[in-house]
Amino acid sequence: MARRLASYVCGEWVEGKGSFVPLHNPTTEEFLAETSTEGVDFRACLEYARTRGNPSLRSLTFAQRGVLVGKLAKAIHEQREELIEISIASGGNTRGDAKFDIDGGTNTLAYYAKLGEKIGDRTFLLDGEPEQLSRNPRFVGRHIQTTLLGAAVHINAFNFPAWGFAEKAAVAILAGMPVISKPATSTSVLAHRIMEIVVEAGILPDGALQFICGGTGDLLDHLTCQDTLSFTGSGSTAELLRAGKAVIQNSVRANIEADSLNAAVLAPDVERESKTYDLFLIEVQREMTQKAGQKCTAVRRILVPEGMVEQVQEDLIQQIRTVKVGNPALKAVRMGPLATKRQQEDVTEGIERLRGVAEAIHGDGSRGDLVEVPDGVGYFVGPTLFRASQSDAPEIHGHEVFGPVQTILPYSGKPEDATRLVNLGAGGLVASLYTDKVDFAEPFVFGSAPFHGRLHIGSGKIADHSLGSGAVLPQMLHGGPGRAGGGEELAGLRGLSFYLQRTAVQGLKTLLEKFLPPE
Ligand code: NAP
């Protein structure tokens, strides 16, 4: 697999020059590939998207763009087996983790393809009903949404090279915007192969999709008010990008998806021998070990009523012990290594930080027992469960440890206390609640909604159908206020608005009706 990864810009594959970043298999530390974007003409790349990709996509209707997005889903899905293998080798993913990323991506593309069909043969959206603007009924106004004239720059995090690309590209292309997609360098082997598949399939018009495999050079310095910037990654990088000169001067639309200390709350009505309790255990454990905890939506804080802490601790540890950690290429293994050495170092440092305010009750931040992994090889950190000695310690609520690490926080069992602790995360992507009682659910939802992009209520009655709080579905909003970046993605039709300008058009009713017909 070892080779040089190229970028796809201005209609061709371009290999970088200068110093190359080496990419490794996180399980074996074997060298896989290297990449560089030195020498790439980023200004030309943006111009190519604006002048070639944008007019081609804009001239299509939503239904026609939906067909293209559907073809992307199909082309990627057809290579699913190969992509799963690449994901295991280059990202340290188990087969299940790999499917979560790849199938999540194709499902999102397929969803937006259907949405395009539903919107139909139109090139713009009408927003709301006509408004009468004076006493004279002939003076009216409408709101329309039209595609911007620039390019959509997508910068993704390392943890979802397939889904990250697909969930952003699906929405932008359906909205008529050409995409410049940049995966995180460390796990770009998978994103690169997906791009090869898409280019080989020849589905999209020229300039509709470009790919940057490495640093973005001066790309962001050339953004205008007709371009957009979508970023997923750490809060610290987000801060840098938001402060970019062009972003500020040209009021470039920027959507930021950043850190989140997602919480799961167990309500006191949930009995040990109940389906809701079992669901809580299963979902919380999955959030710890799926993708080795490297999910933006993973549960980091577990709120448990004081009287139930001993029991939950015992049951959760038992549940975590069922997860075999080791070589993710093996079917029996359910948790692999972290994606990079840097990640391993960051998580280890985060664990040390938690030690000051919490007691490690399972795991100690070391590799633990591994299945078929040679000693000392691979970027492993075993599942580590803490119990807080002080539930409102800022270290627990203020620092995201992006790995298989969770902390149990005892609370009084009252919804207002749960809400207060959950909201100490200062803005999150998702919070989950396990209860069957409206007396708890209602105040919790209204108390925590202002701090969250999504709330997941787990209940025994939906246990067989629940996808858990960690699954990001295209129908539902992804994003959150504050620490989570303040962004909004997906949510069906709502996600398109980021790429469309809303304009109020007012004038003579009969004239407007000629091109803005009542729906
Ligand atoms: P990161 O280090 O911030 O990198 C994210 C992306 O930004 C990468 O593609 C990276 O490229 C790029 N980047 C870094 N510096 C840049 C710069 N100066 N200019 C332009 N691009 C730059 O984050 P990460 O380590 O990949 O991801 C982990 C973090 O992402 C966690 O904190 C997690 O919470 C967050 N995350 C959030 C979500 C969400 O939806 N809210 C989803 C997943 C992850 P290089 O790789 O080339 O440096």
Side-chain angles (χ1 to χ4, degrees), residues 53-70 112-125 145-147 170-177 203-205 493 496 500:
N54 189 298
S56 305
L57 286 175
R58 280 168 66 83
S59 67
L60 302 177
T61 65
F62 280 93
Q64 288 169 325
R65 291 177 214 143
V67 171
L68 298 182
V69 173
Y112 274 95
K114 275 249 151 50
L115 190 63
E117 190 186 324
K118 225 188 243 156
I119 299 171
D121 289 329
R122 51 172 60 202
T123 53
F124 65 91
L125 295 180
Q145 287 186 286
T146 55
T147 307
V171 186
I173 292 171
L174 187 62
M177 283 284 272
I203 296 163
L204 295 172
L493 199 59
L496 298 174
L500 306 172

Short mmCIF file of all heavy atoms in Angstrom, two decimals, residues 53-70 112-125 145-147 170-177 203-205 493 496 500:
data_model
loop_
_atom_site.label_atom_id
_atom_site.label_comp_id
_atom_site.label_asym_id
_atom_site.label_seq_id
_atom_site.Cartn_x
_atom_site.Cartn_y
_atom_site.Cartn_z
N GLY A 53 -16.93 24.25 -11.81
CA GLY A 53 -17.87 23.41 -11.06
C GLY A 53 -19.17 24.14 -10.74
O GLY A 53 -20.26 23.58 -10.90
N ASN A 54 -19.05 25.38 -10.30
CA ASN A 54 -20.24 26.10 -9.85
C ASN A 54 -21.28 26.27 -10.97
O ASN A 54 -22.44 25.89 -10.78
CB ASN A 54 -19.84 27.44 -9.20
CG ASN A 54 -21.03 28.11 -8.54
OD1 ASN A 54 -22.00 28.44 -9.20
ND2 ASN A 54 -20.98 28.29 -7.23
N PRO A 55 -20.90 26.81 -12.15
CA PRO A 55 -21.93 26.99 -13.18
C PRO A 55 -22.57 25.66 -13.60
O PRO A 55 -23.78 25.61 -13.85
CB PRO A 55 -21.16 27.60 -14.35
CG PRO A 55 -19.90 28.14 -13.77
CD PRO A 55 -19.60 27.35 -12.55
N SER A 56 -21.76 24.60 -13.65
CA SER A 56 -22.32 23.30 -14.08
C SER A 56 -23.36 22.82 -13.07
O SER A 56 -24.44 22.37 -13.45
CB SER A 56 -21.24 22.23 -14.18
OG SER A 56 -20.22 22.66 -15.01
N LEU A 57 -23.02 22.89 -11.79
CA LEU A 57 -23.95 22.39 -10.77
C LEU A 57 -25.18 23.30 -10.66
O LEU A 57 -26.31 22.84 -10.53
CB LEU A 57 -23.26 22.28 -9.41
CG LEU A 57 -22.28 21.11 -9.25
CD1 LEU A 57 -21.57 21.20 -7.90
CD2 LEU A 57 -22.98 19.76 -9.38
N ARG A 58 -24.96 24.60 -10.72
CA ARG A 58 -26.08 25.55 -10.59
C ARG A 58 -27.11 25.38 -11.70
O ARG A 58 -28.29 25.62 -11.50
CB ARG A 58 -25.56 26.99 -10.68
CG ARG A 58 -24.95 27.53 -9.44
CD ARG A 58 -24.23 28.82 -9.76
NE ARG A 58 -25.16 29.85 -10.19
CZ ARG A 58 -25.85 30.61 -9.34
NH1 ARG A 58 -25.69 30.44 -8.04
NH2 ARG A 58 -26.68 31.52 -9.78
N SER A 59 -26.62 25.01 -12.88
CA SER A 59 -27.55 24.90 -14.01
C SER A 59 -28.44 23.67 -13.88
O SER A 59 -29.43 23.53 -14.57
CB SER A 59 -26.77 24.84 -15.33
OG SER A 59 -26.04 23.63 -15.37
N LEU A 60 -28.09 22.76 -12.99
CA LEU A 60 -28.91 21.57 -12.79
C LEU A 60 -30.01 21.84 -11.77
O LEU A 60 -29.86 22.71 -10.91
CB LEU A 60 -28.03 20.41 -12.27
CG LEU A 60 -26.85 19.99 -13.14
CD1 LEU A 60 -26.06 18.89 -12.43
CD2 LEU A 60 -27.32 19.50 -14.50
N THR A 61 -31.07 21.09 -11.86
CA THR A 61 -32.12 21.21 -10.84
C THR A 61 -31.72 20.38 -9.62
O THR A 61 -30.80 19.56 -9.69
CB THR A 61 -33.45 20.65 -11.37
OG1 THR A 61 -33.28 19.24 -11.60
CG2 THR A 61 -33.89 21.34 -12.64
N PHE A 62 -32.44 20.58 -8.52
CA PHE A 62 -32.17 19.77 -7.33
C PHE A 62 -32.33 18.28 -7.65
O PHE A 62 -31.55 17.45 -7.20
CB PHE A 62 -33.11 20.16 -6.17
CG PHE A 62 -32.68 21.40 -5.45
CD1 PHE A 62 -33.17 22.65 -5.82
CD2 PHE A 62 -31.76 21.34 -4.42
CE1 PHE A 62 -32.76 23.80 -5.17
CE2 PHE A 62 -31.34 22.48 -3.75
CZ PHE A 62 -31.84 23.72 -4.13
N ALA A 63 -33.34 17.97 -8.44
CA ALA A 63 -33.57 16.55 -8.78
C ALA A 63 -32.37 15.99 -9.55
O ALA A 63 -31.91 14.87 -9.28
CB ALA A 63 -34.84 16.42 -9.60
N GLN A 64 -31.84 16.77 -10.48
CA GLN A 64 -30.69 16.30 -11.27
C GLN A 64 -29.44 16.16 -10.39
O GLN A 64 -28.67 15.21 -10.52
CB GLN A 64 -30.41 17.27 -12.42
CG GLN A 64 -31.46 17.19 -13.52
CD GLN A 64 -31.33 18.33 -14.52
OE1 GLN A 64 -30.97 19.46 -14.17
NE2 GLN A 64 -31.62 18.03 -15.78
N ARG A 65 -29.26 17.12 -9.49
CA ARG A 65 -28.10 17.02 -8.59
C ARG A 65 -28.27 15.82 -7.66
O ARG A 65 -27.31 15.14 -7.32
CB ARG A 65 -27.96 18.29 -7.74
CG ARG A 65 -27.56 19.51 -8.54
CD ARG A 65 -27.53 20.71 -7.61
NE ARG A 65 -27.93 21.92 -8.29
CZ ARG A 65 -28.66 22.89 -7.75
NH1 ARG A 65 -29.09 22.80 -6.50
NH2 ARG A 65 -28.97 23.96 -8.44
N GLY A 66 -29.52 15.58 -7.27
CA GLY A 66 -29.81 14.41 -6.42
C GLY A 66 -29.38 13.12 -7.11
O GLY A 66 -28.84 12.21 -6.46
N VAL A 67 -29.59 13.07 -8.42
CA VAL A 67 -29.19 11.86 -9.16
C VAL A 67 -27.66 11.68 -9.06
O VAL A 67 -27.15 10.59 -8.83
CB VAL A 67 -29.64 11.97 -10.64
CG1 VAL A 67 -29.03 10.84 -11.47
CG2 VAL A 67 -31.16 11.93 -10.72
N LEU A 68 -26.92 12.79 -9.18
CA LEU A 68 -25.46 12.71 -9.08
C LEU A 68 -25.04 12.22 -7.69
O LEU A 68 -24.16 11.36 -7.55
CB LEU A 68 -24.82 14.08 -9.33
CG LEU A 68 -25.03 14.73 -10.70
CD1 LEU A 68 -24.29 16.06 -10.77
CD2 LEU A 68 -24.54 13.81 -11.81
N VAL A 69 -25.69 12.78 -6.67
CA VAL A 69 -25.34 12.41 -5.30
C VAL A 69 -25.65 10.91 -5.08
O VAL A 69 -24.88 10.18 -4.44
CB VAL A 69 -26.10 13.31 -4.28
CG1 VAL A 69 -25.89 12.84 -2.86
CG2 VAL A 69 -25.62 14.76 -4.42
N GLY A 70 -26.75 10.46 -5.64
CA GLY A 70 -27.11 9.04 -5.54
C GLY A 70 -26.07 8.16 -6.22
O GLY A 70 -25.72 7.07 -5.73
N TYR A 112 -29.61 12.27 0.85
CA TYR A 112 -29.69 13.56 0.16
C TYR A 112 -30.06 13.39 -1.32
O TYR A 112 -30.66 14.28 -1.93
CB TYR A 112 -28.41 14.39 0.38
CG TYR A 112 -28.55 15.17 1.67
CD1 TYR A 112 -28.04 14.68 2.86
CD2 TYR A 112 -29.28 16.35 1.71
CE1 TYR A 112 -28.23 15.36 4.05
CE2 TYR A 112 -29.48 17.05 2.89
CZ TYR A 112 -28.96 16.56 4.06
OH TYR A 112 -29.17 17.23 5.23
N ALA A 113 -29.72 12.24 -1.89
CA ALA A 113 -30.14 11.97 -3.27
C ALA A 113 -31.67 11.94 -3.31
O ALA A 113 -32.30 12.55 -4.19
CB ALA A 113 -29.57 10.62 -3.71
N LYS A 114 -32.28 11.29 -2.35
CA LYS A 114 -33.76 11.20 -2.28
C LYS A 114 -34.37 12.57 -2.04
O LYS A 114 -35.42 12.90 -2.60
CB LYS A 114 -34.15 10.28 -1.10
CG LYS A 114 -34.17 8.81 -1.45
CD LYS A 114 -35.63 8.31 -1.43
CE LYS A 114 -35.90 7.17 -2.36
NZ LYS A 114 -35.00 6.07 -2.28
N LEU A 115 -33.71 13.35 -1.21
CA LEU A 115 -34.23 14.68 -0.90
C LEU A 115 -34.24 15.54 -2.18
O LEU A 115 -35.18 16.30 -2.43
CB LEU A 115 -33.37 15.35 0.18
CG LEU A 115 -33.91 16.64 0.76
CD1 LEU A 115 -35.24 16.41 1.48
CD2 LEU A 115 -32.92 17.25 1.75
N GLY A 116 -33.20 15.37 -3.00
CA GLY A 116 -33.14 16.10 -4.28
C GLY A 116 -34.34 15.74 -5.15
O GLY A 116 -34.99 16.62 -5.74
N GLU A 117 -34.66 14.47 -5.18
CA GLU A 117 -35.80 14.00 -5.98
C GLU A 117 -37.08 14.64 -5.45
O GLU A 117 -37.93 15.07 -6.21
CB GLU A 117 -35.84 12.47 -5.84
CG GLU A 117 -36.79 11.79 -6.78
CD GLU A 117 -36.88 10.29 -6.45
OE1 GLU A 117 -35.85 9.69 -6.06
OE2 GLU A 117 -38.00 9.76 -6.55
N LYS A 118 -37.17 14.73 -4.12
CA LYS A 118 -38.36 15.30 -3.49
C LYS A 118 -38.50 16.79 -3.79
O LYS A 118 -39.59 17.28 -4.07
CB LYS A 118 -38.24 15.10 -1.98
CG LYS A 118 -39.52 14.60 -1.35
CD LYS A 118 -39.45 14.60 0.08
CE LYS A 118 -39.51 13.64 1.05
NZ LYS A 118 -39.02 13.64 2.30
N ILE A 119 -37.39 17.51 -3.77
CA ILE A 119 -37.44 18.96 -4.05
C ILE A 119 -37.85 19.17 -5.51
O ILE A 119 -38.60 20.09 -5.83
CB ILE A 119 -36.10 19.65 -3.74
CG1 ILE A 119 -35.73 19.49 -2.27
CG2 ILE A 119 -36.16 21.14 -4.08
CD1 ILE A 119 -34.32 19.94 -1.91
N GLY A 120 -37.32 18.30 -6.37
CA GLY A 120 -37.79 18.29 -7.76
C GLY A 120 -37.07 19.20 -8.72
O GLY A 120 -35.93 19.59 -8.51
N ASP A 121 -37.80 19.57 -9.78
CA ASP A 121 -37.19 20.28 -10.91
C ASP A 121 -37.14 21.78 -10.69
O ASP A 121 -37.82 22.54 -11.36
CB ASP A 121 -37.98 19.97 -12.18
CG ASP A 121 -37.74 18.53 -12.61
OD1 ASP A 121 -36.63 18.02 -12.35
OD2 ASP A 121 -38.65 17.93 -13.19
N ARG A 122 -36.39 22.20 -9.76
CA ARG A 122 -36.21 23.63 -9.52
C ARG A 122 -34.75 23.90 -9.18
O ARG A 122 -34.03 23.01 -8.73
CB ARG A 122 -37.12 24.12 -8.42
CG ARG A 122 -37.02 23.28 -7.15
CD ARG A 122 -37.77 23.90 -6.01
NE ARG A 122 -39.19 24.03 -6.31
CZ ARG A 122 -40.00 24.88 -5.71
NH1 ARG A 122 -39.51 25.68 -4.78
NH2 ARG A 122 -41.27 24.94 -6.01
N THR A 123 -34.33 25.14 -9.41
CA THR A 123 -32.92 25.47 -9.17
C THR A 123 -32.76 26.37 -7.95
O THR A 123 -31.65 26.75 -7.59
CB THR A 123 -32.32 26.18 -10.39
OG1 THR A 123 -33.16 27.27 -10.72
CG2 THR A 123 -32.19 25.25 -11.58
N PHE A 124 -33.87 26.79 -7.37
CA PHE A 124 -33.80 27.61 -6.16
C PHE A 124 -34.94 27.18 -5.24
O PHE A 124 -35.84 26.46 -5.66
CB PHE A 124 -33.92 29.10 -6.51
CG PHE A 124 -35.25 29.47 -7.09
CD1 PHE A 124 -36.29 29.90 -6.27
CD2 PHE A 124 -35.48 29.38 -8.46
CE1 PHE A 124 -37.52 30.23 -6.81
CE2 PHE A 124 -36.72 29.70 -9.00
CZ PHE A 124 -37.75 30.12 -8.18
N LEU A 125 -34.87 27.65 -3.98
CA LEU A 125 -35.92 27.29 -3.03
C LEU A 125 -36.74 28.52 -2.68
O LEU A 125 -36.22 29.63 -2.61
CB LEU A 125 -35.32 26.73 -1.74
CG LEU A 125 -34.55 25.41 -1.83
CD1 LEU A 125 -34.03 25.02 -0.44
CD2 LEU A 125 -35.41 24.29 -2.42
N GLN A 145 -34.20 31.37 -1.90
CA GLN A 145 -32.85 30.91 -1.53
C GLN A 145 -32.15 30.43 -2.80
O GLN A 145 -32.62 29.49 -3.45
CB GLN A 145 -32.93 29.78 -0.52
CG GLN A 145 -33.33 30.24 0.88
CD GLN A 145 -33.25 29.10 1.87
OE1 GLN A 145 -34.09 28.21 1.86
NE2 GLN A 145 -32.24 29.11 2.71
N THR A 146 -31.04 31.12 -3.13
CA THR A 146 -30.32 30.76 -4.35
C THR A 146 -28.87 30.35 -4.02
O THR A 146 -28.30 30.84 -3.04
CB THR A 146 -30.28 31.95 -5.35
OG1 THR A 146 -29.72 33.07 -4.67
CG2 THR A 146 -31.67 32.30 -5.85
N THR A 147 -28.32 29.51 -4.85
CA THR A 147 -26.97 28.97 -4.62
C THR A 147 -25.92 30.07 -4.72
O THR A 147 -25.96 30.90 -5.65
CB THR A 147 -26.66 27.88 -5.68
OG1 THR A 147 -27.72 26.94 -5.64
CG2 THR A 147 -25.35 27.19 -5.40
N ALA A 170 -22.45 15.71 0.28
CA ALA A 170 -23.83 15.42 -0.13
C ALA A 170 -24.66 16.70 -0.10
O ALA A 170 -25.38 17.01 -1.06
CB ALA A 170 -24.44 14.39 0.82
N VAL A 171 -24.54 17.45 0.96
CA VAL A 171 -25.38 18.64 1.15
C VAL A 171 -24.94 19.74 0.18
O VAL A 171 -25.77 20.38 -0.48
CB VAL A 171 -25.30 19.13 2.61
CG1 VAL A 171 -26.27 20.27 2.84
CG2 VAL A 171 -25.60 17.99 3.57
N ALA A 172 -23.63 19.96 0.08
CA ALA A 172 -23.13 21.04 -0.77
C ALA A 172 -23.48 20.78 -2.24
O ALA A 172 -23.96 21.68 -2.94
CB ALA A 172 -21.62 21.18 -0.60
N ILE A 173 -23.24 19.56 -2.70
CA ILE A 173 -23.49 19.27 -4.12
C ILE A 173 -24.98 19.36 -4.42
O ILE A 173 -25.39 19.91 -5.44
CB ILE A 173 -22.89 17.90 -4.51
CG1 ILE A 173 -21.35 18.01 -4.46
CG2 ILE A 173 -23.35 17.46 -5.89
CD1 ILE A 173 -20.61 16.70 -4.61
N LEU A 174 -25.80 18.88 -3.50
CA LEU A 174 -27.25 19.00 -3.72
C LEU A 174 -27.65 20.48 -3.77
O LEU A 174 -28.54 20.87 -4.53
CB LEU A 174 -28.04 18.27 -2.63
CG LEU A 174 -29.55 18.22 -2.89
CD1 LEU A 174 -29.85 17.45 -4.18
CD2 LEU A 174 -30.29 17.60 -1.73
N ALA A 175 -26.97 21.31 -2.99
CA ALA A 175 -27.28 22.75 -3.00
C ALA A 175 -26.70 23.44 -4.24
O ALA A 175 -26.99 24.61 -4.49
CB ALA A 175 -26.72 23.40 -1.74
N GLY A 176 -25.86 22.74 -4.99
CA GLY A 176 -25.31 23.32 -6.22
C GLY A 176 -23.92 23.92 -6.06
O GLY A 176 -23.44 24.62 -6.94
N MET A 177 -23.26 23.64 -4.95
CA MET A 177 -21.93 24.22 -4.70
C MET A 177 -20.82 23.20 -4.98
O MET A 177 -20.87 22.07 -4.48
CB MET A 177 -21.82 24.63 -3.22
CG MET A 177 -22.53 25.91 -2.89
SD MET A 177 -21.64 27.38 -3.45
CE MET A 177 -20.57 27.70 -2.06
N ILE A 203 -18.66 10.75 -12.46
CA ILE A 203 -20.07 11.11 -12.21
C ILE A 203 -20.30 12.62 -12.24
O ILE A 203 -21.28 13.10 -12.78
CB ILE A 203 -20.50 10.56 -10.82
CG1 ILE A 203 -20.44 9.03 -10.83
CG2 ILE A 203 -21.86 11.08 -10.41
CD1 ILE A 203 -20.43 8.41 -9.45
N LEU A 204 -19.37 13.33 -11.65
CA LEU A 204 -19.61 14.76 -11.42
C LEU A 204 -19.04 15.62 -12.55
O LEU A 204 -18.04 15.25 -13.17
CB LEU A 204 -18.96 15.18 -10.10
CG LEU A 204 -19.55 14.55 -8.84
CD1 LEU A 204 -18.70 14.89 -7.63
CD2 LEU A 204 -20.98 15.01 -8.63
N PRO A 205 -19.67 16.77 -12.79
CA PRO A 205 -19.10 17.67 -13.79
C PRO A 205 -17.72 18.17 -13.36
O PRO A 205 -17.40 18.18 -12.16
CB PRO A 205 -20.10 18.83 -13.85
CG PRO A 205 -21.13 18.60 -12.83
CD PRO A 205 -20.91 17.27 -12.18
N LEU A 493 -33.44 19.15 4.85
CA LEU A 493 -33.49 20.36 4.03
C LEU A 493 -32.74 21.53 4.67
O LEU A 493 -32.14 22.36 4.01
CB LEU A 493 -34.97 20.73 3.86
CG LEU A 493 -35.38 21.65 2.74
CD1 LEU A 493 -34.98 21.07 1.39
CD2 LEU A 493 -36.90 21.87 2.78
N LEU A 496 -29.15 22.58 3.68
CA LEU A 496 -28.87 23.23 2.40
C LEU A 496 -28.69 24.73 2.55
O LEU A 496 -27.98 25.36 1.77
CB LEU A 496 -30.02 22.96 1.41
CG LEU A 496 -30.30 21.51 1.02
CD1 LEU A 496 -31.54 21.41 0.17
CD2 LEU A 496 -29.11 20.91 0.28
N LEU A 500 -26.87 28.47 0.47
CA LEU A 500 -27.83 29.26 -0.30
C LEU A 500 -27.97 30.64 0.34
O LEU A 500 -27.96 30.76 1.56
CB LEU A 500 -29.20 28.57 -0.30
CG LEU A 500 -29.26 27.10 -0.75
CD1 LEU A 500 -30.66 26.53 -0.50
CD2 LEU A 500 -28.90 26.96 -2.23
#
